[in-house]
PDB file of all heavy atoms in Angstrom:
ATOM      1  N   TYR A1358     -12.949  -3.515   1.725  1.00 95.00           N
ATOM      2  CA  TYR A1358     -11.942  -2.465   1.641  1.00 95.00           C
ATOM      3  C   TYR A1358     -12.631  -1.291   0.940  1.00 95.00           C
ATOM      4  O   TYR A1358     -13.247  -1.491  -0.125  1.00 95.00           O
ATOM      5  CB  TYR A1358     -10.725  -2.876   0.793  1.00 95.00           C
ATOM      6  CG  TYR A1358      -9.782  -3.898   1.359  1.00 95.00           C
ATOM      7  CD1 TYR A1358      -8.687  -4.347   0.628  1.00 95.00           C
ATOM      8  CD2 TYR A1358     -10.008  -4.443   2.639  1.00 95.00           C
ATOM      9  CE1 TYR A1358      -7.793  -5.283   1.154  1.00 95.00           C
ATOM     10  CE2 TYR A1358      -9.106  -5.393   3.139  1.00 95.00           C
ATOM     11  CZ  TYR A1358      -8.040  -5.805   2.415  1.00 95.00           C
ATOM     12  OH  TYR A1358      -7.154  -6.754   2.926  1.00 95.00           O
ATOM     13  N   PRO A1390      -1.577  -1.648   3.562  1.00 89.00           N
ATOM     14  CA  PRO A1390      -1.332  -0.433   2.824  1.00 89.00           C
ATOM     15  C   PRO A1390      -2.376  -0.267   1.691  1.00 89.00           C
ATOM     16  O   PRO A1390      -2.834  -1.312   1.178  1.00 89.00           O
ATOM     17  CB  PRO A1390       0.112  -0.569   2.275  1.00 89.00           C
ATOM     18  CG  PRO A1390       0.480  -1.990   2.450  1.00 89.00           C
ATOM     19  CD  PRO A1390      -0.540  -2.692   3.337  1.00 89.00           C
ATOM     20  N   HIS A1391      -2.703   0.931   1.346  1.00 93.00           N
ATOM     21  CA  HIS A1391      -3.643   1.159   0.200  1.00 93.00           C
ATOM     22  C   HIS A1391      -3.080   2.337  -0.594  1.00 93.00           C
ATOM     23  O   HIS A1391      -2.248   3.098  -0.141  1.00 93.00           O
ATOM     24  CB  HIS A1391      -5.026   1.484   0.714  1.00 93.00           C
ATOM     25  CG  HIS A1391      -5.694   0.375   1.481  1.00 93.00           C
ATOM     26  ND1 HIS A1391      -6.146  -0.763   0.897  1.00 93.00           N
ATOM     27  CD2 HIS A1391      -5.922   0.226   2.841  1.00 93.00           C
ATOM     28  CE1 HIS A1391      -6.636  -1.564   1.837  1.00 93.00           C
ATOM     29  NE2 HIS A1391      -6.506  -0.973   3.043  1.00 93.00           N
ATOM     30  N   ASN A1392      -3.618   2.445  -1.814  1.00 93.00           N
ATOM     31  CA  ASN A1392      -3.260   3.610  -2.618  1.00 93.00           C
ATOM     32  C   ASN A1392      -4.422   3.910  -3.582  1.00 93.00           C
ATOM     33  O   ASN A1392      -5.506   3.314  -3.477  1.00 93.00           O
ATOM     34  CB  ASN A1392      -1.959   3.386  -3.372  1.00 93.00           C
ATOM     35  CG  ASN A1392      -2.040   2.200  -4.375  1.00 93.00           C
ATOM     36  OD1 ASN A1392      -3.084   1.650  -4.624  1.00 93.00           O
ATOM     37  ND2 ASN A1392      -0.922   1.934  -4.980  1.00 93.00           N
ATOM     38  N   CYS A1432      -8.090   1.167  -5.836  1.00 95.00           N
ATOM     39  CA  CYS A1432      -6.849   0.865  -5.124  1.00 95.00           C
ATOM     40  C   CYS A1432      -6.043  -0.046  -6.004  1.00 95.00           C
ATOM     41  O   CYS A1432      -6.573  -0.997  -6.607  1.00 95.00           O
ATOM     42  CB  CYS A1432      -7.126   0.237  -3.766  1.00 95.00           C
ATOM     43  SG  CYS A1432      -5.632  -0.201  -2.867  1.00 95.00           S
ATOM     44  N   MET A1434      -3.052  -1.458  -4.815  1.00 89.00           N
ATOM     45  CA  MET A1434      -2.072  -2.084  -3.934  1.00 89.00           C
ATOM     46  C   MET A1434      -2.020  -3.580  -4.191  1.00 89.00           C
ATOM     47  O   MET A1434      -3.070  -4.195  -4.387  1.00 89.00           O
ATOM     48  CB  MET A1434      -2.484  -1.792  -2.514  1.00 89.00           C
ATOM     49  CG  MET A1434      -1.374  -2.065  -1.463  1.00 89.00           C
ATOM     50  SD  MET A1434       0.057  -1.102  -1.801  1.00 89.00           S
ATOM     51  CE  MET A1434       1.345  -2.310  -1.547  1.00 89.00           C
ATOM     52  N   HIS A1440      -7.796  -6.201  -3.506  1.00 95.00           N
ATOM     53  CA  HIS A1440      -8.272  -4.912  -3.067  1.00 95.00           C
ATOM     54  C   HIS A1440      -9.519  -4.466  -3.834  1.00 95.00           C
ATOM     55  O   HIS A1440     -10.499  -3.962  -3.282  1.00 95.00           O
ATOM     56  CB  HIS A1440      -7.198  -3.837  -3.155  1.00 95.00           C
ATOM     57  CG  HIS A1440      -6.146  -3.986  -2.122  1.00 95.00           C
ATOM     58  ND1 HIS A1440      -5.897  -3.135  -1.109  1.00 95.00           N
ATOM     59  CD2 HIS A1440      -5.253  -5.022  -1.942  1.00 95.00           C
ATOM     60  CE1 HIS A1440      -4.935  -3.555  -0.360  1.00 95.00           C
ATOM     61  NE2 HIS A1440      -4.463  -4.709  -0.826  1.00 95.00           N
ATOM     62  N   MET A1445     -12.739  -1.780  -3.360  1.00 97.00           N
ATOM     63  CA  MET A1445     -11.980  -0.544  -3.245  1.00 97.00           C
ATOM     64  C   MET A1445     -11.906   0.199  -4.579  1.00 97.00           C
ATOM     65  O   MET A1445     -10.891   0.181  -5.290  1.00 97.00           O
ATOM     66  CB  MET A1445     -10.623  -0.802  -2.704  1.00 97.00           C
ATOM     67  CG  MET A1445     -10.187   0.305  -1.805  1.00 97.00           C
ATOM     68  SD  MET A1445      -8.819  -0.089  -0.786  1.00 97.00           S
ATOM     69  CE  MET A1445      -8.392   1.565  -0.253  1.00 97.00           C
TER      70      MET A1445
HETATM   71 CU1   CU D2084      -6.346  -1.134  -1.133  1.00 77.60          CU
END
Side-chain angles (χ1 to χ4, degrees):
Chain A
Y1358 288 180
H1391 298 287
N1392 64 5
C1432 179
M1434 195 59 222
H1440 287 246
M1445 217 165 165

